[in-house]
Amino acid sequence: MATVELDNIRKRFGSEEVIGGVSLSVADGEFIVIVGPSGCGKSTLLRMVAGLETITEGELRIGGQRANDREPMDRDIAMVFQNYALYPHMSVAQNMGYGLRIKGLPKAEIDAKVAEAARLLQLDALLDRRPRDLSGGQRQRVAMGRAIVREPSVFLFDEPLSNLDAKLRVQMRLEIRELQRKLGVTALYVTHDQVEAMTMADRMIVMNAGIAEQIGTPMEVYERPATRFAAQFIGSPAMNVLPAEAREDGLHLGAATLPNPGALRGPVLLGLRPEHLNPDPQGPIEMQVMLAEPLGANTLLHGRLASGAAFTASLPGVHRADAERTTLRLSIAGENLHLFDPDTGRRLN
Amino acid sequence: MEKRVTFKGWLLPLCLIAPQVAISAVFFFYPAGQAIWQSLFIPDPFGLSSQFVGMGNFDFLLSDPYYRAAFRTTAIFSALVTLAAMVPALFLAVMADRLVKSAGAYRTLLIWPYAVAPAVAGVLWMFMFNTRVGVVAWYLGQLGYDWNHVLNGQEAMGLVVVASAWGRISYNFLFFFAALQAVPRSVIEAAAIDGARFWRRFFTIVLPLLSPTTFFLLVVNIVYAFFETFGVIHTITAGGPQQATTILVYKVYADGFVGQDLGSSAAQSVILLLVVGVLTVLQFKYIEKRVHY
Ligand SMILES: Nc1ncnc2c1ncn2[C@@H]1O[C@H](COP(=O)(O)OP(=O)(O)OP(=O)(O)O)[C@@H](O)[C@H]1O
Ligand SMILES: [Mg+2]
């Protein structure tokens, strides 16, 4: 229950700049997902908010107060780690109550709070167990429980679901989101999984090499990616991005001509989401299909354009296996074209 | 999770354990058997014949006030040596663990004392505290303290404890340092976020996670204090003054080789053997129960 503001935050390890100036203003109760490929600095950014890494430059404000120099315990935050970081020698109840014991709360009050959190997370029956006797999902819940009993203003999550299997991940994703809404606590959530980012975020911050490529709601990022990187990172399968030429009469992509959405001229990068392509015998795009992946509701077709560039289309329904090694004509609506600057990667339209 | 190799026959496994068995037989079972055998006899004053006395040596020992004093001395000495060797080692390891830079150099420097043989360390300390030429004794004299471990039993005990523990600090430091490095960083960070400051974290998180190492070192150091401090005691005090530093092992030597009472000396060895046995059993029992988190 606090706002979090990052004002041009930078981090250097020695001379190497790992975070290159990130600014973000998180509203009270908002769920922010920090998403990006491995090594882009997501954990580092989160750990700076937690106070586990020093902030080289810039200002961090939690609840409007400058927090750069506060100790982790004085920031009113709770963190869930990727490996859960449970105290191995303590029972589940002791793990959850540790923070309260340190605060010096009376034992009865601690027990009550732990019991309530345990009920919320369905851990009632496990309170006396040690972490080593729990399953991955249960450990994850204990880590959540430890975070919520302290009633912090901000939750920090560093890839909390990456050690779980796919099914449990979907379930825990919902549980975490539900819990956060119920408690109304501001949350920063790190993941490299774009599906997690899309489904959980109020707003997401797409990071690449220590820079925030785009900050926006999942639909904003999906519909109007600000950079080529954001365009290809969010959405599955990834967007096709191809060099094209913008002229007066339209966008020239090899032999194909598409409507020019802006008044642009010169070389551009053209982005086409696989799911926006429609099979159309008169369509301008001709694709040589090499491989069909039926997913049930839709089918992924992988192949090449006449120029030799790799290309993917996602078509609804089942496409027969003989779709392989055939040519397919595709069209796309003008509003689904994304144009990027070939040098900077910034959006042009 | 254990990986075991299973052998079909019994010849190969027998051959594989033969060297170990042979070494144990020559250096342990044979001398231990000899000690047990000899503990049942009293030799005559010239060592020409011996007379069977059964449990006589043990009966005598257990009612001998000097022997019981040696037991008490050993208990005090071992407890002090173990404490003096482990507490500073743990403290240094915690400090080294906090270092980000030059932890390696610090660690290397701390290992050096371990390379010094106990007897040499004993001589070193004896010279420093020598009542006539010792540097430390002289400074203590300047401060108005009249150091004389040759006459004062407590000072003698203090000196042999320090001299014995000194070299062991390195050894313990290494184990503590390795164990500290193995404590997951994120667990410490979680505790920090939970509100625990450094020493609170140390006592509630780190120390419990170190307990297998601590217990291992406890046993190893007690065994060291029991058996391997002979050189230190022999060079510094030779058990004196008035047997104030005569620990069990030293008494085995003093009665057997100086006093030539081989029967009593052998009986003392047997008692020591039992003590070590109990210690070892305790150690294994504990480790089985507690080590695996
Ligand atoms: N203590 C450190 N010293 C030097 N470099 C570091 C340190 N910690 C992290 N880095 C570097 O900072 C960069 C970002 O690391 P970070 O852990 O934030 O990545 P991440 O986005 O969380 O990746 P992942 O998804 O793999 O967890 C990496 O290149 C990493 O090597
Ligand atoms: Mg990370």
Side-chain angles (χ1 to χ4, degrees):
Chain A
M1 285 145 280
T3 58
V4 177
E5 284 143 68
L6 280 68
D7 193 353
N8 204 16
I9 298 266
R10 286 169 191 277
K11 176 70 187 179
R12 279 187 290 274
F13 287 113
S15 61
E16 190 194 351
E17 188 163 81
V18 174
I19 302 289
V22 172
S23 298
L24 171 71
S25 178
V26 185
D28 192 8
E30 201 174 15
F31 197 104
I32 296 283
V33 174
I34 302 169
V35 65
S38 187
C40 70
K42 308 178 294 289
S43 299
T44 307
L45 189 62
L46 195 75
R47 292 166 56 81
M48 284 195 286
V49 176
L52 299 173
E53 299 281 1
T54 55
I55 297 170
T56 313
E57 220 176 274
E59 191 172 72
L60 168 72
R61 287 183 293 273
I62 297 177
Q65 302 282 316
R66 180 183 159 93
N68 287 41
D69 309 313
R70 277 197 239 155
E71 293 284 326
M73 51 278 254
D74 303 328
R75 293 188 182 200
D76 203 10
I77 50 146
M79 183 155 165
V80 177
F81 293 80
Q82 179 170 358
N83 60 2
Y84 317 135
L86 300 177
Y87 312 126
H89 57 296
M90 295 185 193
S91 70
V92 167
Q94 287 169 328
N95 260 284
M96 300 211 296
Y98 182 74
L100 301 177
R101 247 183 353 266
I102 287 184
K103 264 193 208 160
L105 259 58
K107 182 152 183 345
E109 201 174 324
I110 296 176
D111 289 347
K113 288 194 179 198
V114 168
E116 179 174 346
R119 195 175 41 72
L120 207 60
L121 294 161
Q122 293 148 27
L123 287 168
D124 317 59
L126 307 173
L127 283 176
D128 294 324
R129 293 224 200 142
R130 292 279 168 93
R132 64 158 180 265
D133 302 326
L134 299 175
S135 73
Q138 290 165 340
R139 281 180 210 179
Q140 215 287 322
R141 284 210 184 85
V142 177
M144 287 286 301
R146 188 170 64 181
I148 65 178
V149 289
R150 288 184 33 234
E151 298 169 11
S153 305
V154 183
F155 277 152
L156 305 175
F157 298 90
D158 192 355
E159 309 208 20
L161 305 183
S162 57
N163 289 340
L164 305 180
D165 68 43
K167 188 158 170 247
L168 199 54
R169 205 146 56 203
V170 173
Q171 183 194 336
M172 289 306 296
R173 198 160 84 194
L174 292 173
E175 280 184 27
I176 289 179
R177 198 58 239 264
E178 214 168 276
L179 205 62
Q180 185 264 347
R181 283 222 182 90
K182 189 159 22 173
L183 302 171
V185 178
T186 312
L188 291 179
Y189 185 104
V190 163
T191 180
H192 61 258
D193 179 350
Q194 57 104 6
V195 179
E196 251 171 53
M198 289 294 284
T199 52
M200 298 178 81
D202 286 329
R203 279 192 302 153
M204 64 163 95
I205 156 167
V206 182
M207 293 213 20
N208 181 30
I211 306 280
E213 295 264 340
Q214 185 169 11
I215 300 174
T217 66
M219 281 336 274
E220 273 168 16
V221 176
Y222 178 80
E223 285 170 355
R224 283 185 62 80
T227 63
R228 174 196 174 159
F229 177 86
Q232 287 196 294
F233 195 79
I234 298 298
S236 173
M239 183 189 279
N240 299 295
V241 176
L242 306 154
E245 181 81 21
R247 298 200 200 123
E248 252 162 278
D249 58 339
L251 283 169
H252 292 262
L253 174 67
T257 305
L258 298 163
N260 188 342
L264 295 163
R265 301 290 175 270
V268 294
L269 288 173
L270 173 62
L272 310 166
R273 290 210 182 270
E275 59 273 30
H276 288 154
L277 296 159
N278 308 305
D280 179 354
Q282 267 78 56
I285 303 164
E286 189 184 275
M287 173 191 182
Q288 188 84 29
V289 179
M290 323 267 277
L291 177 71
E293 288 182 326
L295 299 179
N298 52 354
T299 304
L300 296 188
L301 299 171
H302 301 282
R304 298 196 177 281
L305 298 185
S307 65
F311 198 75
T312 303
S314 169
L315 304 183
V318 179
H319 278 252
R320 295 188 315 277
D322 67 2
E324 289 184 32
R325 303 221 166 265
T326 58
T327 47
L328 185 68
R329 296 201 79 84
L330 301 161
S331 65
I332 186 164
E335 73 262 25
N336 288 331
L337 297 177
H338 306 272
L339 295 178
F340 303 103
D341 188 302
D343 300 321
T344 63
R346 305 228 135 260
R347 187 179 187 89
L348 293 172
N349 63 324
Chain B
M1 279 175 295
E2 267 173 288
K3 284 190 188 136
R4 285 169 191 271
V5 182
T6 331
F7 295 103
K8 283 234 176 64
W10 49 268
L11 196 64
L12 180 61
L14 207 66
C15 290
L16 292 176
I17 60 166
Q20 175 78 51
V21 171
I23 288 171
S24 299
V26 171
F27 292 104
F28 180 69
F29 292 122
Y30 176 70
Q34 282 283 312
I36 293 172
W37 180 246
Q38 282 193 2
S39 68
L40 305 176
F41 293 87
I42 297 182
D44 72 84
F46 303 103
L48 297 176
S49 65
S50 50
Q51 184 191 356
F52 182 80
V53 291
M55 289 285 128
N57 281 321
F58 293 96
D59 282 346
F60 177 76
L61 275 177
L62 294 181
S63 57
D64 177 10
Y66 284 116
Y67 191 66
R68 275 188 279 176
F71 244 108
R72 201 167 45 245
T73 307
T74 308
I76 293 169
F77 175 77
S78 316
L80 289 178
V81 168
T82 305
L83 272 181
M86 285 179 67
V87 174
L90 180 57
F91 182 78
L92 291 173
V94 168
M95 291 301 136
D97 190 46
R98 286 185 89 171
L99 283 182
V100 183
K101 288 181 194 142
S102 63
Y106 183 64
R107 196 179 52 205
T108 311
L109 283 177
L110 272 172
I111 294 168
W112 284 358
Y114 188 52
V116 180
V120 177
V123 172
L124 211 78
W125 285 91
M126 186 188 72
F127 274 121
M128 285 199 292
F129 281 87
N130 185 293
T131 42
R132 259 169 275 144
V133 299
V135 181
V136 181
W138 185 79
Y139 275 114
L140 285 173
Q142 294 292 301
L143 292 172
Y145 187 86
D146 185 18
W147 177 270
N148 195 339
H149 67 264
V150 181
L151 295 177
N152 184 322
Q154 281 176 1
E155 285 175 8
M157 177 60 98
L159 186 54
V160 288
V161 164
V162 169
S164 304
W166 174 71
R168 295 297 290 187
I169 291 177
S170 315
Y171 177 87
N172 296 338
F173 167 82
L174 275 187
F175 275 86
F176 276 132
F177 188 70
L180 280 171
Q181 302 259 298
V183 173
R185 190 124 307 247
S186 59
V187 170
I188 306 289
E189 289 173 348
I193 290 176
D194 262 346
R197 288 175 201 277
F198 184 80
W199 287 109
R200 183 83 182 245
R201 289 201 295 273
F202 177 74
F203 285 111
T204 56
I205 309 284
V206 177
L207 205 53
L209 291 183
L210 291 185
S211 64
T213 304
T214 309
F215 188 76
F216 164 77
L217 288 178
L218 201 63
V219 173
V220 168
N221 281 290
I222 289 176
V223 170
Y224 164 82
F226 261 64
F227 297 104
E228 290 166 50
T229 47
F230 177 86
V232 175
I233 292 179
H234 194 55
T235 48
I236 299 184
T237 63
Q242 284 151 12
Q243 310 221 3
T245 55
T246 299
I247 61 168
L248 290 171
V249 168
Y250 199 79
K251 198 163 162 59
V252 170
Y253 162 81
D255 288 356
F257 294 88
V258 182
Q260 288 290 311
D261 184 354
L262 287 181
S264 170
S265 176
Q268 291 178 29
S269 307
V270 171
I271 292 173
L272 266 181
L273 208 67
L274 289 176
V275 172
V276 190
V278 169
L279 278 179
T280 312
V281 168
L282 272 181
Q283 178 187 14
F284 279 108
K285 267 234 155 86
Y286 186 89
I287 282 182
E288 250 163 43
K289 250 194 259 154
R290 288 292 300 275
V291 165
H292 305 285
Y293 278 125

